[in-house]
């Protein structure tokens, strides 16, 4: 419960602020603030002023020996965090429930559409059966089977003769009448198919894409508000492995990671080279994660610390030697060779979506299907034989099903 205290200098106002002046602490009101501003127009007077009921982390700024990185970490917490996240979730939940209604509607539409098609199909088959007297033919076949079991040869001959007559009647006058009937049935069937209206799913597709983006935005808001700096929320690798990768990167850089942001998802942004480069151009400290459609669904990727540029059309060097390739499938890490630091990554979007290391330790073409892997040429691998390898992909080509790219803010 907030306390109401009258300002000693301005009794008509309540105390709202605490003034830190060296080792002296004074309490003041809005009028005190106004007077200080008039006296110190060129000085930031608010640096040493706190609201009486301010956030606890704001108080840390007045303690001289708090570590800067620790102070920065807590400064990102806000008293409105819970309400912001709650409101963001409620908006997302409302969107999802509206989307659920769309799903129910599209199911009903598709069900009605399929039922109409099946009814037309059954009607066509009934007409066909009627025209060729299919039921009579089946009865003759049953009689033939019964006579055959009883070894009634004379009856078999009679039934065989009836079956012959059946076909002769259908083939009468070169099957002219039958052909006309079958053509009529065919035309009716095709006409129905032409006139039937397919359910419009474009709005549903747009809503689906919006839901994906809405979910990404929610996770981004939660991550930003709650200061989730060490999680990627990947759909390809588990959270435990993403933490392992982040820890490895932090150790290599000897720096903390302020934020992790997903900047590209193949399933959301389009699984092609240009879409990828449009998202990553000019960025650095990127984690690429790939999932292959090859047997075994191999998962692999890379962390590249240097900045990537669309217009460079050349290699980027990693002087920090912090870049590495990883295989989640094999649980292996392949660090950049010191002698190959100038070949960390190739920036050549006209030819490749991703080309990491000389000869393509990870080489993925713009279609995300073709490519190659000379793992070991620029990034360490003890089984390197100076030839193409299926070790990362599980096949001769990458054949990528999904790609995620995360940007680390250092």
């Amino acid at each position: 419960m907030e306390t109401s205290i009258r300002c000693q200098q301005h009794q008509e106002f309540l105390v709202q602020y605490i003034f830190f002046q060296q080792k002296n602490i004074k309490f003041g009101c809005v009028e005190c603030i106004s007077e200080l501003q008039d006296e110190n127009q060129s000085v930031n007077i608010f640096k040493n002023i706190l609201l009486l009921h301010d956030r606890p982390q704001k108080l840390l700024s007045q303690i001289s020996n708090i570590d800067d990185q620790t102070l920065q970490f807590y400064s990102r917490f806000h008293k409105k965090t819970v309400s912001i996240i709650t409101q963001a979730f409620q908006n997302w939940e409302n969107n999802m429930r509206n989307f659920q209604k769309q799903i129910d509607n599209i199911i009903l539409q598709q069900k009605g559409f399929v039922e109409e098609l099946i009814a037309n199909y059954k009607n066509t088959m009934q007409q066909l059966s009627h025209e060729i007297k299919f039921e009579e033919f089946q009865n003759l076949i049953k009689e033939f089977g019964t006579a055959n079991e009883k070894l009634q040869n004379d009856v078999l001959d009679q039934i065989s003769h009836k079956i012959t007559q059946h076909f002769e009647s259908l083939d009468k006058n070169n099957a002219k009448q039958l052909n006309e009937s079958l053509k009529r049935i065919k035309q009716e069937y095709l006409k129905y198919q032409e006139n039937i209206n397919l359910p419009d799913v474009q709005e549903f597709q747009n809503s689906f894409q919006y839901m994906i983006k809405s979910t990404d935005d929610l996770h981004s808001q939660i991550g930003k508000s709650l200061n989730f700096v060490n999680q990627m929320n990947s759909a390809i690798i588990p959270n435990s492995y993403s933490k392992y990768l982040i820890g490895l990167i932090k150790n290599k850089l000897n720096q903390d990671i302020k934020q992790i942001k997903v900047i590209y998802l193949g399933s959301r942004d389009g699984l092609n080279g240009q879409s990828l480069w449009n998202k990553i151009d000019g960025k650095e400290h990127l984690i690429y994660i790939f999932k292959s459609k090859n047997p075994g669904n191999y998962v692999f990727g890379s962390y590249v610390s240097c900045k990537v540029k669309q217009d460079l059309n050349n290699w980027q060097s990693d002087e920090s030697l912090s870049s590495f390739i990883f295989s989640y499938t094999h649980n292996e890490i392949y660090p950049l060779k010191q002698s190959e630091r100038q070949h960390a990554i190739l920036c050549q979007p006209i030819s490749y979506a991703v080309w990491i290391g000389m000869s393509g330790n990870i080489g993925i073409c713009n279609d995300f299907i073709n490519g190659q892997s000379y793992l070991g040429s620029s990034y360490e691998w003890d089984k390197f034989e100076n030839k193409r390898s299926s070790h990362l992909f599980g096949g001769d080509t990458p054949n990528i099903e999904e790609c995620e790219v995360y940007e680390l803010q250092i």
Side-chain angles (χ1 to χ4, degrees):
M1 183 176 179
E2 296 187 0
T3 305
S4 298
I5 306 173
R6 292 287 172 181
C7 179
Q8 293 181 354
Q9 296 182 9
H10 311 94
Q11 286 293 318
E12 67 274 27
F13 296 103
L14 295 176
V15 170
Q16 291 181 279
Y17 301 95
I18 302 176
F19 300 84
F20 293 86
Q21 298 175 345
Q22 296 180 352
K23 294 186 178 181
N24 296 321
I25 294 177
K26 294 183 178 180
F27 296 89
C29 64
V30 291
E31 189 63 25
C32 296
I33 293 283
S34 179
E35 291 176 357
L36 277 174
Q37 284 181 307
D38 292 339
E39 295 172 7
N40 305 277
Q41 294 183 3
S42 61
V43 179
N44 181 10
I45 64 168
F46 293 96
K47 182 178 180 181
N48 297 316
I49 298 177
L50 268 68
L51 281 167
L52 194 63
H53 304 286
D54 211 334
R55 297 172 291 159
Q57 58 269 37
K58 187 68 182 292
L59 188 61
L60 289 177
S61 64
Q62 303 302 322
I63 303 175
S64 58
N65 293 319
I66 299 297
D67 178 74
D68 286 342
Q69 290 185 346
T70 301
L71 187 61
Q72 289 176 11
F73 175 82
Y74 285 106
S75 68
R76 289 193 289 267
F77 284 77
H78 196 277
K79 62 183 179 181
K80 293 184 179 179
T81 293
V82 173
S83 61
I84 290 173
I85 293 175
T86 301
Q87 185 61 52
F89 174 78
Q90 287 175 348
N91 293 338
W92 176 84
E93 183 181 15
N94 290 337
N95 290 334
M96 288 298 290
R97 296 199 182 283
N98 289 332
F99 185 55
Q100 180 65 54
K101 292 179 181 178
Q102 283 189 282
I103 293 175
D104 292 339
N105 289 334
I106 200 70
I107 289 174
L108 288 175
Q109 292 175 14
Q110 294 289 353
K111 183 179 180 181
F113 173 69
V114 170
E115 286 176 347
E116 284 189 59
L117 291 180
I118 291 174
N120 185 38
Y121 170 81
K122 288 182 177 179
N123 180 56
T124 302
M125 294 305 295
Q126 285 176 356
Q127 292 185 66
L128 173 62
S129 297
H130 175 74
E131 292 297 331
I132 63 174
K133 301 176 182 178
F134 187 64
E135 187 176 352
E136 295 178 17
F137 174 73
Q138 285 185 310
N139 290 333
L140 289 172
I141 296 299
K142 289 179 182 178
E143 290 180 23
F144 185 87
T146 302
N148 186 53
E149 288 178 0
K150 296 180 178 180
L151 301 176
Q152 297 173 328
N153 293 330
D154 56 335
V155 178
L156 287 174
D157 291 339
Q158 292 176 16
I159 297 173
S160 296
H161 180 68
K162 288 181 181 180
I163 293 175
T164 302
Q165 286 182 324
H166 183 86
F167 280 99
E168 286 178 349
S169 66
L170 295 175
D171 198 33
K172 186 178 179 180
N173 296 325
N174 295 322
K176 180 181 178 181
Q177 184 177 352
L178 180 59
N179 270 310
E180 289 176 353
S181 298
L182 294 180
K183 286 179 181 178
R184 175 181 53 77
I185 296 170
K186 174 185 174 183
Q187 288 172 352
E188 290 176 356
Y189 179 81
L190 294 177
K191 184 178 180 180
Y192 178 86
Q193 300 287 45
E194 290 175 359
N195 293 331
I196 194 169
N197 292 321
L198 290 169
D200 185 7
V201 296
Q202 184 60 52
E203 183 179 352
F204 174 75
Q205 290 174 339
N206 294 338
S207 297
F208 181 71
Q209 293 300 324
Y210 176 76
M211 283 301 99
I212 294 175
K213 183 180 184 302
S214 176
T215 303
D216 289 339
D217 290 344
L218 174 65
H219 292 164
S220 177
Q221 180 67 64
I222 291 173
K224 182 178 179 181
S225 299
L226 293 182
N227 208 12
F228 285 174
V229 298
N230 64 341
Q231 294 187 22
M232 292 188 284
N233 296 315
S234 170
I236 300 178
I237 60 174
N239 190 46
S240 57
Y241 192 76
S242 72
K243 286 184 176 181
Y244 163 70
L245 292 178
I246 296 302
L248 183 61
I249 294 168
K250 288 170 67 175
N251 289 336
K252 283 179 171 289
L253 296 175
N254 195 27
Q255 287 182 286
D256 282 334
I257 296 171
K258 297 177 182 177
Q259 188 178 4
I260 301 175
K261 181 180 180 182
V262 57
I263 59 173
Y264 172 80
L265 295 175
S267 56
R268 178 191 68 189
D269 303 312
L271 199 60
N272 61 80
Q274 191 57 59
S275 295
L276 171 65
W277 276 99
N278 288 342
K279 296 290 186 179
I280 68 174
D281 186 33
K283 300 185 184 301
E284 57 187 340
H285 298 294
L286 300 180
I287 297 178
Y288 300 81
I289 305 176
F290 303 97
K291 181 180 179 181
S292 174
K293 289 188 288 188
N294 290 328
N297 295 117
Y298 281 40
V299 174
F300 61 96
S302 179
Y303 163 70
V304 180
S305 65
C306 45
K307 184 178 293 186
V308 294
K309 301 177 182 178
Q310 286 201 68
D311 59 357
L312 183 62
N313 200 34
N314 208 335
W315 290 98
Q316 271 287 52
S317 176
D318 175 14
E319 297 303 318
S320 71
L321 287 173
S322 58
S323 299
F324 61 85
I325 291 173
F326 65 87
S327 169
Y328 171 72
T329 301
H330 300 296
N331 193 25
E332 294 175 343
I333 300 294
Y334 318 98
L336 178 63
K337 296 178 181 178
Q338 185 170 356
S339 60
E340 288 289 320
R341 65 176 66 192
Q342 71 275 21
H343 297 135
I345 189 169
L346 177 64
C347 299
Q348 197 175 73
I350 193 172
S351 303
Y352 309 110
V354 181
W355 198 266
I356 297 173
M358 181 63 73
S359 302
N361 287 224
I362 294 179
I364 299 176
C365 297
N366 284 321
D367 60 5
F368 275 84
I369 295 176
N370 295 297
Q372 63 188 46
S373 175
Y374 272 76
L375 181 61
S377 62
S378 295
Y379 288 77
E380 295 279 358
W381 184 39
D382 56 7
K383 298 179 181 179
F384 178 52
E385 298 177 349
N386 197 27
K387 64 180 182 180
R388 292 176 66 156
S389 166
S390 62
H391 187 69
L392 289 179
F393 309 151
D396 293 334
T397 59
N399 199 20
I400 300 302
E401 176 180 335
E402 177 64 301
C403 171
E404 302 174 343
V405 181
Y406 297 85
E407 178 188 17
L408 309 183
Q409 295 183 3
I410 307 300

